[in-house]
Structure formats: C-alpha cells, structure tokens
Amino acid sequence: SRDGSLAEQHQQADCGVARSQILRCEVSDADVCTDPEVIMSFSRGAAPPISQVNNLQPQSRKDRQAQQHREDLEKMRLRNRREGYCRYEENGVTPKPDSLAYISEADRFVTDTAAVEKRERQAAIAKREQMIGNRRAVRADSEEKRWRTIEMEHAMDKQREETMRQEATFSKANKTSMPYNPINLKYSDGRDGQCLKYSDDALKYRGALRADNLQRRSNSGYNPITGESVQRVSVPPPPQPPGFLSHM
C-alpha cells in the first residue's frame, strides 16, 4: 500500500509538470486534441499525450522594459501591421473642398482655355486700372487739401495784416515814450504835448527860483575869490497852464 501511494504521488507530480508545460506553450489550431477519451482522462488527472508544440523564445528584461515604453510600443505595432508605417486614408486622391488643389467636376472639363486666359488678362487689366484710379483719386484729394490749406493760410495772413493796420500794432514800436520829437526838438501836437511842455516849463521855473534863493542867501552879491560881482540868476516868468487845464 505504501508503494502504491508513492506511485500515485509521482503520477500526480508528473501531471502537474505536464499542465505547467502546457500553460507555457502556444498550441496551434491544428494541434488541438479533440478525442473525447483523452479529454476525459485529462479531466480525471491523467497525463495527456504530448503533441507537437511551439515553444516561445523567452524575452530578456531589457526587451520587456522596451515594450513598456510608449514610443517603442507604437513603433513596434506600426512595424508589425499590414500597412507598415504608411497612413491609410480613404479616398485620398480627391482633395478636400477647402484645399487649394480642389476643383469641381464642372470646372475640370473646361476646354475653352483661350476664353479662360482672356478673362484672366481682362481681370488683371481691370485690377491694374482700378489701382491706378485709386492712386489718382488719392493724389487728387491730397492736392486739393494742399491748395485749400494754402488758400486758408493766405486768407489768415490778409486778415492778420488788416488787423495790424487797424490797430497800428507795428507803428507803436516807433512811437516814443513821451510826446516829444527828439529829431526836431519840438513837442507833439495835442494835449499830451502841451501837458509835457507845461511840466518842463514849471520844472525850469522852480529850478530858477531855487537857484536865485540859494544865491541870495549864500553871499552878499560878489564872488569871494575874484571879488567880482556875481551875475544874478535870471528867473523866467511863471508858466501858464494849457487852456483845457485852466477850466478844470
């Protein structure tokens, strides 16, 4: 009984090894066992018959880590797929309507190229004429504004000259501060000249009175150095105020 139990344990161990080998192997569709007796014996714990298997090459740690990298994984998937690295786009010959290479089917079969070229030339000529017309209009507007500015400046200069002529702006610079002409040594005509003449005559009269008073009080009428008689100061008559001042 002891020998029988040992044999049974060895048989179960061999069965477990066979199961682990089967789990680590990749069996093709042609090698799958469909015999019911073999399947029943495998379910009862018996060792199944070993058929042809495809062993997988074990990968190194570097290869396993490289597969975890996203970029390398994408490159590997692109390399292993059917199209390879080429991108497949459905109906890629016809360009999109918003692209520069798009042309409608109606325009694709236009055969009158001479008319097309003529329209293009006419469009280019019209565009050039439009540019020239716009440039001419801009220059004419600028010239009109320039002449309008010149006329406004001329009108402002004339108005300024007329204002200065009426207000005697520049003639005031030649006018003296007193109503007296230093060239001909005459007083100006008018009330200002008469008032200035009266003021000067009164100043001269007061000066002569003071000189005569000092001369009378300083000596006895002769020069103490030379002993000659001193000529008396001539006192002019008192000036008369102008007529318009006498009535005030």
Side-chain angles (χ1 to χ4, degrees), residues 1-61:
S1 62
R2 183 179 180 182
D3 296 337
S5 62
L6 291 174
E8 186 177 356
Q9 291 178 3
H10 285 296
Q11 186 177 4
Q12 291 178 0
D14 295 339
C15 183
V17 172
R19 286 180 181 177
S20 61
Q21 290 178 356
I22 291 173
L23 291 175
R24 288 195 301 268
C25 296
E26 181 181 1
V27 182
S28 62
D29 296 338
D31 297 333
V32 175
C33 182
T34 59
D35 192 355
E37 296 181 357
V38 176
I39 296 173
M40 292 301 294
S41 62
F42 180 74
S43 62
R44 290 194 299 268
I50 299 176
S51 61
Q52 184 180 359
V53 295
N54 295 326
N55 294 328
L56 295 177
Q57 183 70 23
Q59 296 181 351
S60 63
R61 181 179 299 175

Side-chain angles (χ1 to χ4, degrees), residues 107-166:
D107 297 335
R108 189 185 299 275
F109 298 99
V110 175
T111 56
D112 193 2
T113 57
V116 173
E117 292 181 357
K118 183 178 180 181
R119 286 196 296 270
E120 291 179 355
R121 290 195 301 270
Q122 290 179 353
I125 293 172
K127 183 179 179 181
R128 180 175 177 80
E129 290 179 354
Q130 183 68 23
M131 292 175 59
I132 295 174
N134 294 338
R135 193 179 302 171
R136 184 186 298 109
V138 170
R139 291 182 177 178
D141 190 13
S142 177
E143 189 70 13
E144 183 68 22
K145 290 181 180 179
R146 189 176 72 87
W147 278 107
R148 193 181 300 113
T149 304
I150 292 174
E151 292 176 357
M152 290 176 60
E153 291 179 354
H154 181 67
M156 291 174 63
D157 291 340
K158 289 185 65 176
Q159 184 178 1
R160 177 170 169 268
E161 292 176 0
E162 186 66 23
T163 303
M164 288 189 300
R165 186 180 296 107
Q166 293 177 1

Side-chain angles (χ1 to χ4, degrees), residues 196-209 237-240:
L196 180 62
K197 185 176 183 304
Y198 173 72
S199 176
D200 293 343
D201 292 343
L203 181 63
K204 293 177 181 179
Y205 175 73
R206 290 194 300 272
L209 287 178
Q240 299 296 326

